[in-house]
Amino acid sequence: DADVTQTPRNRITKTGKRIMLECSQTKGHDRMYWYRQDPGLGLRLIYYSFDVKDINKGEISDGYSVSRQAQAKFSLSLESAIPNQTALYFCATSERDRDDTGELFFGEGSRLTVL
Amino acid sequence: GQNIDQPTEMTATEGAIVQINCTYQTSGFNGLFWYQQHAGEAPTFLSYNVLDGLEEKGRFSSFLSRSKGYSYLLLKELQMKDSASYLCAVLDSNYQLIWGAGTKLIIKP
């Protein structure tokens, strides 16, 4: 089983619908992240959390919200999906290290299509 | 603004050597990462450089020159399974990762 699991892996929805992408991890890491990936663009950070009580906006948080339900779970919600939120979404984790330079461990990705 | 540049696509031959370049302009520098991403899959960590010089790890090596804002990933003895996108990312002064768009590497027999 994967250490970082995302559900659903694929989702097609309509404009205006509420969507939740879920992420769970068994790595025991404190830090969790949500990224989106679009063709021709680098990964862009949506939200990140360094522990259960810590939530931070990333580069492109507008239109998204998150919930850190437990150390192992971090969910991303699109309250009212729009077509330009069609993308591949990745959850990632990292371990806090002394220099704040821990590598990221990614989930398999959730492909979201908004019609 | 912050910027990471890498070629969009490269083609190489099985068994050969290929060098993928990455140049960056960021607000501060706390290290540079290379990740590999096969089509439709998650990125996986390849290397991390924070000091100038070459880091070797099997068939893969990564080089960094902080004064030039430049890094490269060197892949030797190319195999078909090396066909993937290679992502360069820089950790800026706020410890935020800035990602390049990735270089798609095509390996031909």
Side-chain angles (χ1 to χ4, degrees):
Chain A
D1 288 342
D3 294 323
V4 184
T5 303
Q6 293 182 228
T7 55
R9 295 291 313 280
N10 288 283
R11 182 71 184 270
I12 300 174
T13 190
K14 295 182 178 179
T15 298
K17 294 291 187 181
R18 184 177 187 273
I19 295 296
M20 179 180 285
L21 306 180
E22 298 186 337
C23 177
S24 62
Q25 54 117 343
T26 58
K27 298 193 74 67
H29 291 167
D30 287 327
R31 300 181 171 192
M32 298 187 74
Y33 310 79
W34 275 104
Y35 284 93
R36 68 177 277 176
Q37 187 174 42
D38 298 274
L41 297 178
L43 286 161
R44 290 184 293 169
L45 183 63
I46 306 171
Y47 271 95
Y48 63 102
S49 169
F50 282 179
D51 65 42
V52 175
K53 296 181 181 179
D54 176 75
I55 301 288
N56 303 282
K57 292 183 177 180
E59 179 188 355
I60 53 163
S61 59
D62 287 350
Y64 301 94
S65 63
V66 291
S67 173
R68 184 81 185 264
Q69 301 95 324
Q71 188 211 32
K73 296 184 183 296
F74 193 37
S75 300
L76 176 71
S77 293
L78 289 68
E79 295 302 325
S80 179
I82 57 177
N84 76 0
Q85 291 178 313
T86 293
L88 182 59
Y89 290 85
F90 284 105
C91 175
T93 73
S94 70
E95 187 173 19
R96 180 185 177 89
D97 65 13
R98 183 173 57 85
D99 299 321
D100 267 340
T101 56
E103 68 178 270
L104 294 174
F105 295 85
F106 288 86
E108 307 101 317
S110 295
R111 186 168 294 283
L112 177 66
T113 302
V114 183
L115 302 176
Chain B
Q2 308 204 88
N3 198 47
I4 309 286
D5 284 318
Q6 39 181 145
T8 302
E9 187 174 296
M10 299 181 70
T11 301
T13 305
E14 190 177 15
I17 299 172
V18 71
Q19 177 175 310
I20 302 174
N21 296 326
C22 171
T23 58
Y24 61 90
Q25 292 175 307
T26 56
S27 55
F29 178 85
N30 282 299
L32 184 145
F33 292 83
W34 284 98
Y35 282 77
Q36 180 189 59
Q37 185 179 23
H38 286 101
E41 297 184 9
T44 56
F45 171 81
L46 286 178
S47 67
Y48 170 71
N49 294 67
V50 66
L51 300 176
D52 289 351
L54 188 68
E55 296 272 348
E56 296 186 78
K57 199 185 287 187
R59 293 190 299 114
F60 292 10
S61 302
S62 56
F63 172 83
L64 174 67
S65 168
R66 289 173 297 173
S67 63
K68 295 182 179 178
Y70 168 70
S71 172
Y72 67 73
L73 182 69
L74 190 72
L75 291 73
K76 303 177 184 176
E77 302 169 13
L78 286 170
Q79 301 175 10
M80 298 303 293
K81 68 179 182 179
D82 297 329
S83 292
S85 289
Y86 292 85
L87 314 181
C88 174
V90 171
L91 206 56
D92 72 8
S93 57
N94 294 317
Y95 291 94
Q96 297 296 319
L97 266 179
I98 311 301
W99 294 83
T103 298
K104 182 179 181 180
L105 177 63
I106 299 168
I107 309 296
K108 294 186 174 180

